[in-house]
Amino acid sequence: MSKVLIIGAGGVGSVVAHKCALNSHVFTSIMLASRTKAKCDKIAGEIKEMHGVDIETAQVDADIVAETVMLIKRFQPKLLINVALPYQDLTIMEACLATGVHYLDTANYEPKDVAKFEYSWQWAYQQRFKEAGLMALLGCGFDPGVTQVFTSYANKHYFDEMHYLDIIDCNAGDHGKAFATNFNPEINIREITQPGRYWENGEWIEIEAMSIHKPIEYPGIGPKESYVLYHEELESLVKNFPTLKRARFWMTFGQAYITHLNVLENVGMTSIHPIKFKGMDIIPLEFLKAVLPAPDSLGENYSGQTSIGCQIKGTKDGEETTYYVWNNCDHAECYKEVHAQAVSYTTGVPAMIGAMLMLTNEEWMKPGVWNCEELNPDPFMAHLNTQGLPWNERINIPLPHEYPA
């Protein structure tokens, strides 16, 4: 039906390529490209061996618009799935505009020299994509991505007004490493060491990093200490659902992880500012990334589950209503299917689903720049159940949060 170009061959890129291959009735021709072609070739070999599907591979430096344009012109895809670094979002969007190709990513753009996560840079492309008759779907992973679909689904089916939103994200897996991040270490550590933020009563409240925390009970897992972070989907959710009085994002971290992170931060290893070393400029966080285990190496022998969901309180027909929707994903089962751990899987599968809907569902192909909650959630929710991320819901149950009287 359609050609798809995937840029990025890390853990998430591998999952996207595997799942596209498993849905070859939609993705009839697949190319995987990255800065290092050998990584693409390794993934292509696994896909051929596991699923019997051939995919093409290529080398590209996505920092350079002209290189990406040349690759797109050679392969001529209908859609480009960007699972490279978020620093490259804008150059890849430019290449898509130059070649008339639809665009999807899983994380919003951030400048390399400052840990700042916001959609303004990409939302600014709205008119250009609309005038070109092209669609750009932003943040179509799990969080961001599915969490926004969950919220939209709740708003459509269970609420007249949503007032309180808590996104809760738990990884209760064990990879056996002393310290490792489950997705790109550079992005992960930048995300959790910046000040926290949440939305309340029409304004952003900034807090010291990791300063608000409490145990939250996760289905099938139990209580885990959870910390308030700033996460990018909050920005678009409070914009698109203005009845929200408070919106927060919680993520679990074990004490060993916190201890390692504190030590690394205290000695300067999480800094994104260059220092001189033997006459060369190096960025400590980039060096740390080089010595930590690669996220795509963690899949084998990874045990346990992730649990990610949305807990919402609001009103329906004048009555107070609560709603909890979530997915649990098993690391070992993900490895059996696509040789990946669950954090990569929960990001890569929704990216494939978003791409599939853009190519097959008229409601999900709209010129312009969009976030996931701005589109009909129902077909996406249906595909989650058939593509490996089944969801559960509970209505009118007590939620583990305090609410104003």
Side-chain angles (χ1 to χ4, degrees):
M1 183 179 292
S2 296
K3 287 185 171 185
V4 63
L5 170 60
I6 305 161
I7 295 185
V12 175
S14 176
V15 173
V16 174
H18 275 267
K19 294 298 286 190
C20 286
L22 286 166
N23 289 275
S24 57
H25 61 290
V26 173
F27 306 101
T28 50
S29 185
I30 304 162
M31 174 178 278
L32 178 62
S34 80
R35 198 185 306 268
T36 307
K37 186 174 181 294
K39 293 173 69 176
C40 302
D41 292 338
K42 181 177 181 292
I43 293 166
E46 285 184 347
I47 289 171
K48 177 64 174 177
E49 181 180 350
M50 295 174 70
H51 316 306
V53 175
D54 290 304
I55 71 169
E56 295 184 54
T57 63
Q59 190 278 332
V60 68
D61 183 346
D63 286 327
I64 302 172
V65 175
E67 275 199 30
T68 310
V69 166
M70 286 179 60
L71 180 62
I72 292 172
K73 286 182 175 179
R74 175 159 66 88
F75 185 61
Q76 297 187 339
K78 185 171 183 179
L79 171 69
L80 186 152
I81 301 176
N82 169 19
V83 281
L85 294 172
Y87 316 136
Q88 298 166 321
D89 287 0
L90 301 188
T91 55
I92 296 176
M93 290 177 79
E94 289 288 352
C96 286
L97 283 168
T99 53
V101 170
H102 302 292
Y103 171 90
L104 178 151
D105 67 33
T106 61
N108 69 359
Y109 171 75
E110 59 182 272
K112 194 170 179 61
D113 57 352
V114 58
K116 187 175 183 180
F117 312 99
E118 62 181 59
Y119 279 113
S120 60
W121 291 285
Q122 291 179 278
W123 284 344
Y125 280 75
Q126 171 69 257
Q127 196 61 30
R128 292 177 65 193
F129 269 81
K130 193 170 184 179
E131 289 175 356
L134 297 174
M135 180 176 182
L137 182 59
L138 308 182
C140 193
F142 207 108
D143 44 351
V146 175
T147 51
Q148 290 149 284
V149 174
F150 279 172
T151 304
S152 178
Y153 184 80
N155 184 70
K156 179 178 179 179
H157 295 285
Y158 295 106
F159 292 95
D160 294 324
E161 286 192 0
M162 298 185 297
H163 296 154
Y164 300 97
L165 166 66
D166 288 276
I167 299 170
I168 60 172
D169 182 327
C170 171
N171 178 20
D174 180 8
H175 47 54
K177 308 291 185 184
F179 181 80
T181 62
N182 291 287
F183 60 96
N184 186 289
E186 191 177 346
I187 304 305
N188 188 196
I189 292 172
R190 281 165 63 113
E191 178 181 289
I192 64 179
T193 55
Q194 69 166 327
R197 276 199 299 163
Y198 62 93
W199 180 260
E200 189 165 35
N201 296 326
E203 63 179 350
W204 291 106
I205 309 297
E206 186 167 298
I207 60 173
E208 186 180 340
M210 314 288 275
S211 61
I212 296 178
H213 56 94
K214 66 180 180 181
I216 293 177
E217 183 87 14
Y218 293 86
I221 292 171
K224 293 289 182 181
E225 199 69 15
S226 306
Y227 297 76
V228 171
L229 308 178
Y230 176 67
H231 226 240
E232 61 210 66
E233 66 261 47
L234 295 179
E235 182 185 13
S236 65
L237 285 169
V238 300
K239 170 177 171 278
N240 289 311
F241 299 108
T243 62
L244 285 171
K245 299 176 182 179
R246 187 181 69 202
R248 301 180 296 190
F249 182 95
W250 303 78
M251 183 174 281
T252 62
F253 298 97
Q255 190 52 54
Y257 187 98
I258 297 292
T259 300
H260 278 85
L261 185 63
N262 285 341
V263 171
L264 291 167
E265 194 167 12
N266 288 340
V267 299
M269 285 303 300
T270 63
S271 172
I272 61 174
H273 303 296
I275 63 168
K276 285 288 185 184
F277 178 73
K278 294 187 175 181
M280 299 183 350
D281 281 336
I282 69 163
I283 295 174
L285 183 53
E286 291 183 356
F287 177 79
L288 178 61
K289 173 185 174 182
V291 299
L292 288 176
D296 57 4
S297 72
L298 300 176
E300 194 169 9
N301 301 318
Y302 208 142
S303 61
Q305 293 185 331
T306 62
S307 182
I308 311 173
C310 295
Q311 298 181 329
I312 306 168
K313 183 178 180 181
T315 57
K316 177 71 172 179
D317 299 326
E319 299 290 327
E320 188 176 273
T321 299
T322 65
Y323 181 69
Y324 178 26
V325 56
W326 76 94
N327 161 266
N328 276 30
C329 189
D330 187 272
H331 287 287
E333 292 302 313
C334 295
Y335 189 78
K336 287 179 187 176
E337 183 188 355
V338 296
H339 279 189
Q341 36 92 346
V343 177
S344 295
Y345 190 89
T346 54
T347 304
V349 173
M352 182 280 296
I353 292 173
M356 177 185 289
L357 287 172
M358 287 172 69
L359 295 172
T360 63
N361 188 305
E362 290 183 1
E363 289 185 294
W364 276 73
M365 180 53 81
K366 297 169 59 176
V369 176
W370 306 99
N371 294 93
C372 290
E373 71 270 23
E374 297 178 281
L375 303 158
N376 180 10
D378 293 355
F380 202 111
M381 295 290 278
H383 279 303
L384 288 170
N385 282 330
T386 61
Q387 294 292 339
L389 293 175
W391 48 274
N392 305 276
E393 63 181 358
R394 294 289 183 272
I395 305 163
N396 287 331
I397 62 168
L399 298 178
H401 309 289
E402 296 179 357
Y403 302 101

